[in-house]
Amino acid sequence: MSEHTYKMIELVGSSHTSIEDAVKNAVARAAVDEKKLRWLEVLETRGHIEDGKIAHWQVTVKIGATLD
Amino acid sequence: MSEHTYKMIELVGSSHTSIEDAVKNAVARAAVDEKKLRWLEVLETRGHIEDGKIAHWQVTVKIGATLD
Amino acid sequence: MSEHTYKMIELVGSSHTSIEDAVKNAVARAAVDEKKLRWLEVLETRGHIEDGKIAHWQVTVKIGATLD
Amino acid sequence: MSEHTYKMIELVGSSHTSIEDAVKNAVARAAVDEKKLRWLEVLETRGHIEDGKIAHWQVTVKIGATLD
Amino acid sequence: MSEHTYKMIELVGSSHTSIEDAVKNAVARAAVDEKKLRWLEVLETRGHIEDGKIAHWQVTVKIGATLD
Amino acid sequence: MSEHTYKMIELVGSSHTSIEDAVKNAVARAAVDEKKLRWLEVLETRGHIEDGKIAHWQVTVKIGATLD
Amino acid sequence: MSEHTYKMIELVGSSHTSIEDAVKNAVARAAVDEKKLRWLEVLETRGHIEDGKIAHWQVTVKIGATLD
Amino acid sequence: MSEHTYKMIELVGSSHTSIEDAVKNAVARAAVDEKKLRWLEVLETRGHIEDGKIAHWQVTVKIGATLD
Amino acid sequence: MSEHTYKMIELVGSSHTSIEDAVKNAVARAAVDEKKLRWLEVLETRGHIEDGKIAHWQVTVKIGATLD
Amino acid sequence: MSEHTYKMIELVGSSHTSIEDAVKNAVARAAVDEKKLRWLEVLETRGHIEDGKIAHWQVTVKIGATLD
Amino acid sequence: MSEHTYKMIELVGSSHTSIEDAVKNAVARAAVDEKKLRWLEVLETRGHIEDGKIAHWQVTVKIGATLD
Amino acid sequence: MSEHTYKMIELVGSSHTSIEDAVKNAVARAAVDEKKLRWLEVLETRGHIEDGKIAHWQVTVKIGATLD
């Protein structure tokens, strides 16, 4: 935690079950491309509705990753 | 998804168990009056506390519905 | 609910499992010092990431307590 | 205060005399159509000026009403 | 412009051609149900993209209408 | 109310008695320099405290004036 | 007004009569515990409604106090 | 673009035809009094409605001008 | 629209003619690098002024793209 | 600090060296035209980059001045 | 960094010399009462002006401290 | 400054000494990957505290770069 620089990436994760799972899916996808993910911030929570029910959650997150 | 017009309604849903259930309760109640609900946005998450514990969650949502 | 005055305190609760548990932990800790907690508002939801996974959630809440 | 759902309506009330009266006028008008008004939040305070004086106050409020 | 009360309704209008037309479509639809529309405020401007082009604009507006 | 242009000026008015009077004082002062004041918006409400009491209110307002 | 440090406390004051009185009640209560209150900022104005009328105003304020 | 100071002025421009024209009218009016206008930012887009149609657009802009 | 993850990219598009064209230019440029653009949100509208006229519009947009 | 009225002016100051100097330059320029400057608030901090380095800082400030 | 709870305190620090020193003074004062300070966020930067110069900076910070 | 498109990247720079240096470090790191950096905006200023002192500043910036 010295003089690092971090880059912030913004993703929208989706899940049929919960807000937490939507965030986890976004983090899991980010981890494919970026090795050193450090923290996340939830920006926006939305949901898609079908037949009067929430079909899936869509959560926008900013994720911070250490730049080498 | 062509040149539709949508109306936004704002509700506060409650639940003893989770944030997601508070949102689901709001959507379920909205579905009684409005047939074509399409999406939701969470605006505010609050909780009512009794005896040092969260008695229920109160979540404010905006819900978009297609206008015929 | 007459002419009471409330004070607002701001805490960050953590949890390995869910956003709701992070909030509950913050409320439980606040209840040690303050007797008359009444409501909470979620201000910010963050997460700490280790090895590409969410190690714990960190949720900032404002909690209202009745002042005698 | 159990698992109720509330709907939020947004009104602009006016008054020649004070901000509080503009809010009261909005609540009084809302009470004609909705039976179970519960709380209000002031969103915006404006005023109309004529001949260098405030002719009337215009206050935008969100009002929460219990849905049966 | 005396002591009127106004209600605010929120709509999302769409258009293939421009932001202004998306707003006009929302106002035209609102005018079917409400007789005394007075002013609007643009809250959010979005667009749906298909094949790398903007298929239609989606503009969220709040519209103020005089309550009798 | 045709194709006018308005300029917005920002003032802080003060009063020992009320929020409304602080706004009125700001408008009265603005009316000395500008002839065609049209509307105002309250941006911020503050107060100066002396000996545990509110000595005066300080209200920041934006005022719109017609440009000839 | 030299190199002082101030602490900010956040309170919600209530009043049956006016927004100003709700703020005064919050300041009066804060003055019991803190000797050197200096200024306040209004954060949020709410009201509790009973039988279609405003039963009391609830105003959230931040108050700055000199730290010795 | 060295160590200049700029002043920001805030105007509301109007137009019967488009958002862009409302902004242009504000800039044209500002250019009468200020010689060195440099850039603008759109703050708010509103419209006045008559007979269920948008009679004119009202766009609030901040304009930056070089101070000599 | 199942459990996709989207990434958000932020661009500033420019145009001499209109706000819509500035957005279109940003989308067209984004489409060179990203195949599956889905939606956009306008964040900020600015303009560059030369000789008292708007030389070009600069519009900041966030664009959502499906991640495979 | 009695019932004064203040006007707020908004400036952007620049400096090659620091954020503080950019603010000082804005205040120094404002002091040429206005005699009774009282306080400032930083609204926005930007920087101009040339050859991968910060060529100068640009800081937007609101400055309050006593009106006689 | 496991399941800790943190409390947030809000202070305004002052300095004649720089924004950083105003923050340092707030942290130093907070460290007298609280042992386990962990991080800070700058909320607001203001300055007091005397004789057309910045007499001191006033910076509002939120500071997070571990609760045992 | 004609019809360019810019992309915005978001970084967090760190420094033991000052806010300006934290920003410079972020810009220097961005300049490794991107050739045509043009401007930056400070979004958030934080600090990490150790032993009651600020160990390093962490400043979040958005940086605009010309896209060819």
Side-chain angles (χ1 to χ4, degrees), chain L residues 2 4 7 13 17 23-24 27 30 42 53:
Chain L
S2 59
H4 286 308
K7 83 169 165 185
T17 53
V23 177
K24 281 177 195 164
V27 172
V42 173
K53 298 210 171 105

Side-chain angles (χ1 to χ4, degrees), chain B residues 4-10 30 33-41 62-68, chain D residues 7, chain E residues 7 9-13 26 29-30 33-34 59-61:
Chain B
H4 286 308
T5 303
Y6 307 90
K7 83 169 164 186
M8 305 300 297
I9 55 177
E10 189 172 327
D33 299 332
E34 300 282 340
K35 288 307 149 212
K36 298 188 175 173
L37 306 179
R38 296 293 303 273
W39 81 94
L40 68 90
E41 309 167 22
K62 280 208 302 195
I63 302 176
T66 311
L67 278 171
D68 290 320
Chain D
K7 82 168 165 188
Chain E
K7 82 169 166 186
I9 55 177
E10 190 171 327
L11 297 179
V12 182
R29 182 59 188 78
D33 298 331
E34 300 283 340
V59 184
T60 309
V61 292

Side-chain angles (χ1 to χ4, degrees), chain K residues 32-44:
Chain K
V32 174
D33 298 331
E34 300 282 340
K35 287 308 148 210
K36 297 189 175 173
L37 306 179
R38 295 292 304 274
W39 82 95
L40 69 89
E41 309 166 23
V42 173
L43 297 188
E44 206 173 81

Side-chain angles (χ1 to χ4, degrees), chain D residues 48-49, chain E residues 1, chain F residues 1-9 34 36-41 62-68, chain H residues 9-15 22-23 25-27 29-30 33 46 48 56-63:
Chain D
H48 183 76
I49 304 175
Chain E
M1 276 232 209
Chain F
M1 275 230 210
S2 58
E3 292 209 7
H4 286 308
T5 302
Y6 306 90
K7 82 170 166 188
M8 304 301 295
I9 55 178
E34 299 283 339
K36 298 187 174 174
L37 306 180
R38 295 292 304 273
W39 81 95
L40 69 90
E41 310 168 22
K62 279 209 302 194
I63 302 176
T66 310
L67 278 172
D68 291 319
Chain H
I9 56 177
E10 190 173 327
L11 297 178
V12 182
S14 303
S15 163
V23 177
N25 287 343
V27 171
R29 182 60 187 77
D33 299 331
R46 291 174 165 248
H48 184 75
H56 52 264
W57 298 90
Q58 294 166 314
V59 184
T60 309
V61 292
K62 280 209 301 195
I63 301 176

Side-chain angles (χ1 to χ4, degrees), chain J residues 41-53:
Chain J
E41 309 166 24
V42 173
L43 297 189
E44 207 174 78
T45 302
R46 290 173 167 249
H48 183 76
I49 305 175
E50 285 174 11
D51 299 325
K53 299 213 171 101

